Structures are given as structure tokens and as C-alpha cells.
Amino acid sequence: MNKKKTRVGVIGAGHLGKHHIKHLASHGEIEFIGAFDKNKSALNKVCEEFSVKALESIDQLIFQCDAVNIVTPTDTHFDIAKKFLDNKKDVLIEKPITNTVEEAQSLIDLAKKNGCIIQVGHIERFNPTINKLKNFIKDPHYIEIERLAPFQSRGTEVPVILDLMVHDIDLVLEIVSSPIKNIHASGAKMMSNTIDLAHAHIKFENGVVANLKSSRISQNYVRKIRTYQNNLYSITDLMIPQIEVYSLEKSNLFTEKVISKNVDAGGQEKMLYYEKFSPEKKDALLEEINNFIKSIKTRKSPNVSGEDGKKALEIALQIENKIFLNE
Ligand code: NAD
């Protein structure tokens, strides 16, 4: 049987859009219709590089596609996604889903009404290092995440909370299954017109604390996750990538490197295990796109739904408001 392939296009051919185009242009399970960007010269350059069609307008894509990847700045997500959803097209919207919770809810309602899929580009859900880490985080007491980057003007149309911290908010909401009790936050504008540096202290009702630090004023890229739970401390460096674990019980999850020594654990001699693991490198964006294509075909919710995107946005905006209140 000659089953018709899903027809997909991309809006936005900038820094990240180029990678969406690259993956979709060579994807065996879809028909790639083409890309549109309001910056014609950038669009033509990328389309030439991957030998794909440069489209004339958003409407040209709407009438030819079943689904779209929206990879434009956040303040354009709502208007562009609404156009596609109005025309019953599935959408993968880059993170953060929209600028406001009301916009996110309105897209979710529209998708429901028109039977469409919304996926949000919280790419860390597809990061093999983080997925490995999740295997042994059981009842953490404390989670610390640092996400720092050298300054660049790209992305500064939104505060660093929506640009970088939103990844970690989504991660923490996925790991900790409890309502939030309270949030404390501080931050500063330094180079751009929006907040460039933010610290958030999120306390959940079950007692778990998440301490998030995001900055785009940094000498180097830093992506570190530390988790603390009974008898186990983990340090994950997403830049290497590598997971290190100190634990009073051997995890049996790692085989790469295990060192043990006797330690005094509160008056009792115990064996402390140090284990190190370097997960396989996978292209998380391709995994995310594969998940979208699977959802389009099966009509099942993707790993990161519109609702997930809205929840992360909601907390991100609360953090931003707390910072404004402290100013
Ligand atoms: P960018 O500025 O490099 O590219 C955005 C492109 O969109 C530009 O080429 C611009 O001309 C185009 N554009 C703007 N408005 C448009 C419109 N109305 N119609 C058509 N094209 C339009 O930005 P970027 O870094 O590629 O970021 C794009 C999106 O991806 C943002 O939402 C950002 O938060 C997200 N992003 C996600 C990750 C991640 O890790 N998941 C990483 C980087 C960026």
C-alpha cells in the first residue's frame, strides 16, 4: 500500500531553525515541503545549503502541509501557531510556548477543538544524559541546576528565565511530582533590556527544594545538575556530558568507573562508592522531531505537550514577577 507521507515545513530559518530544516530535509518518514523566514537572504542561504524549497509566505506552507515546526522568536509563536491550528495543522512550537499563559491556554483550547497536536520544544526531555540521570533520582531532597552562557543578543527579547531557565523548570516539574509551596527569586538586568541573570528557589509541598541559576553573563557555557537524596549525591555535567555519583549503595547503573572506600557515615563505617558514566551522544533535536512525527502519526500526545509547555511558562512568569517585586 502506498501510504502518503506526512507533509512538514518550518517557519524560521535562524540559529535553531537551520537545524530543524537540516533534520527534516533528510528525514525518511516525512515529505519536507519547505521553509519560510521573513528574512529572505537568511532563508535562501539555509534552503540552498540543504537543497530545500524557500517558501514565499506562511500561507503558502499552510495550504501544502500537515504539520509545522515553528522556530521563530517567542513573541511570534502565538500568532504563527494560531494560523496553523486554525487550519487544523499539527504544530511543534519552540520553547517557551508563548509569551503569556493566556496565549498558551488559547492555543491548547484551539488544538483540542480542531483535533491537533501541540508539542513544545523542551529539548532536554530528549537529552540522553538527563534521561540516564532520571533513572536513579528517587525522592530527591534538593536539586541544584546551573545554566550559564556567554552574552549574545539573540534570545534577549525574553528574560533569561524564559530563554534558559524554562528548560530547568520543565525538568524539575517532571522530576518532582508535588505542587509548589512557594518561590523566592532574585535577578538583574545587565546587558539587555530584559533580566539577564536569575536565581530561583522553588519549594515543593512534599519538601523538595529546587535551586535554579540561569545567566547569560558568563565567561563559559555551564550546564550542571546536582541532586541530593538519601545516601546519594549526583553531579551531572551536560557539557561533557558526564554523570558522577557518590553513594552508600552501589547503583549497578554504571560500569564505566567504580571506586569504593570506607568512610565514617555518622559514627558508622560504611562503603562509599564513586561511579562515573559518560552517556552515549545522541542528537536530542532529532529525537524531539522524531517524537513529533510519531505523535502526528499515532495521534497520541507527545512527550512535551502544550499543557507541559504552559506549566513551565506559568512558573517562569511567576519567577520573573518575583524578581520585579524585589527590584
Ligand atoms: P534566531 O533569531 O536565530 O532565528 C529566528 C528566525 O525567525 C530569524 O531568522 C527571523 O528572521 C525569523 N522570524 C522572526 N519573525 C518571523 C515571522 N513572523 N515569520 C517568519 N520568520 C520570522 O532565533 P533562534 O535562536 O533560532 O530561536 C528561535 C526559537 O527557538 C526561540 O523560540 C528560541 O527560544 C528557541 N530556541 C530553543 C532552543 C532549545 O534549546 N530548544 C535553543 C535556541 C533557541
Side-chain angles (χ1 to χ4, degrees):
M1 197 169 66
N2 189 13
K3 251 188 132 190
K4 252 182 85 183
K5 284 185 174 177
T6 304
R7 299 163 304 161
V8 186
V10 172
I11 304 293
H15 167 75
L16 189 62
K18 175 179 166 166
H19 295 279
H20 279 260
I21 293 167
K22 175 185 79 185
H23 286 308
L24 287 168
S26 58
H27 205 291
E29 291 178 39
I30 58 123
E31 180 190 346
F32 189 61
I33 298 299
F36 171 71
D37 192 298
K38 67 175 191 180
N39 179 336
K40 277 220 164 201
S41 66
L43 175 68
N44 288 337
K45 197 164 163 239
V46 173
C47 288
E48 225 167 82
E49 183 177 346
F50 299 109
S51 307
V52 296
K53 192 163 179 187
L55 302 171
E56 292 297 323
S57 66
I58 289 182
D59 286 345
Q60 192 188 355
L61 179 59
I62 287 178
F63 295 119
Q64 292 183 56
C65 76
D66 303 304
V68 64
N69 292 20
I70 300 170
V71 202
T72 52
T74 306
D75 48 8
T76 65
H77 289 180
F78 175 73
D79 287 341
I80 297 176
K82 185 174 180 312
K83 277 190 178 186
F84 282 91
L85 292 170
D86 271 335
N87 286 280
K88 298 189 166 57
K89 312 294 177 180
D90 298 320
V91 297
L92 190 171
I93 310 171
E94 259 310 329
K95 54 61 29 189
I97 179 168
T98 48
N99 261 346
T100 69
V101 174
E102 293 71 27
E103 286 174 350
Q105 187 59 54
S106 151
L107 294 182
I108 292 167
D109 292 342
L110 181 57
K112 197 171 170 199
K113 181 175 145 236
N114 285 350
C116 298
I117 305 277
I118 298 184
Q119 178 169 339
V120 183
H122 286 289
I123 195 167
E124 298 292 35
R125 296 269 197 121
F126 301 92
N127 184 326
T129 309
I130 291 181
N131 287 335
K132 186 82 184 175
L133 175 70
K134 282 180 204 153
N135 285 337
F136 61 86
I137 304 183
K138 304 270 180 309
D139 299 325
H141 302 312
Y142 206 87
I143 302 171
E144 272 178 345
I145 311 184
E146 274 182 304
R147 191 175 287 266
L148 320 179
F151 185 77
Q152 55 188 357
S153 56
R154 189 164 46 78
T156 57
E157 75 278 1
V158 290
V160 72
I161 308 124
L162 291 187
D163 184 21
L164 300 182
M165 193 183 277
V166 74
H167 285 293
D168 303 320
I169 295 170
D170 175 64
L171 183 59
V172 164
L173 292 180
E174 198 205 355
I175 294 172
V176 185
S177 40
S178 164
I180 289 176
K181 189 172 177 190
N182 56 48
I183 296 175
H184 296 280
S186 55
K189 286 180 194 170
M190 295 167 88
M191 292 279 284
S192 74
N193 293 323
T194 55
I195 295 163
D196 292 313
L197 166 69
H199 288 222
H201 183 87
I202 305 173
K203 184 154 192 179
F204 291 84
E205 279 179 8
N206 65 359
V208 179
V209 169
N211 235 338
L212 310 182
K213 177 179 170 187
S214 297
S215 169
R216 43 192 182 208
I217 312 286
S218 171
Q219 192 176 21
N220 301 308
Y221 285 96
V222 178
R223 306 270 191 270
K224 277 209 172 170
I225 305 172
R226 294 181 180 83
T227 68
Y228 304 75
Q229 67 192 47
N230 269 353
N231 298 339
L232 191 144
Y233 167 50
S234 77
I235 312 125
T236 300
D237 191 329
L238 298 175
M239 296 303 296
I240 297 179
Q242 166 188 286
I243 304 174
E244 293 169 287
V245 173
Y246 291 87
S247 113
L248 293 178
E249 281 157 30
K250 195 170 172 308
S251 72
N252 289 326
L253 283 164
F254 307 141
T255 50
E256 196 175 298
K257 184 171 181 185
V258 181
I259 300 170
S260 57
K261 64 172 183 177
N262 279 318
V263 289
D264 180 353
Q268 217 188 340
E269 188 149 297
K270 287 195 174 170
M271 191 68 89
L272 177 71
Y273 296 92
Y274 166 80
E275 301 174 61
K276 191 167 96 172
F277 182 77
S278 307
E280 60 174 317
K281 284 191 179 165
K282 269 191 187 166
D283 191 320
L285 181 62
L286 179 59
E287 299 289 316
E288 175 184 296
I289 288 172
N290 286 340
N291 188 243
F292 183 47
I293 294 167
K294 187 173 156 204
S295 295
I296 296 169
K297 287 184 181 161
T298 59
R299 309 311 298 163
K300 294 211 170 110
S301 179
N303 285 11
V304 193
S305 65
E307 200 57 54
D308 292 328
K310 187 190 85 174
K311 277 186 202 152
L313 174 69
E314 215 162 9
I315 304 308
L317 293 175
Q318 281 181 30
I319 291 170
E320 188 190 358
N321 284 336
K322 299 261 173 189
I323 294 173
F324 284 139
L325 286 176
N326 288 340
E327 270 183 354

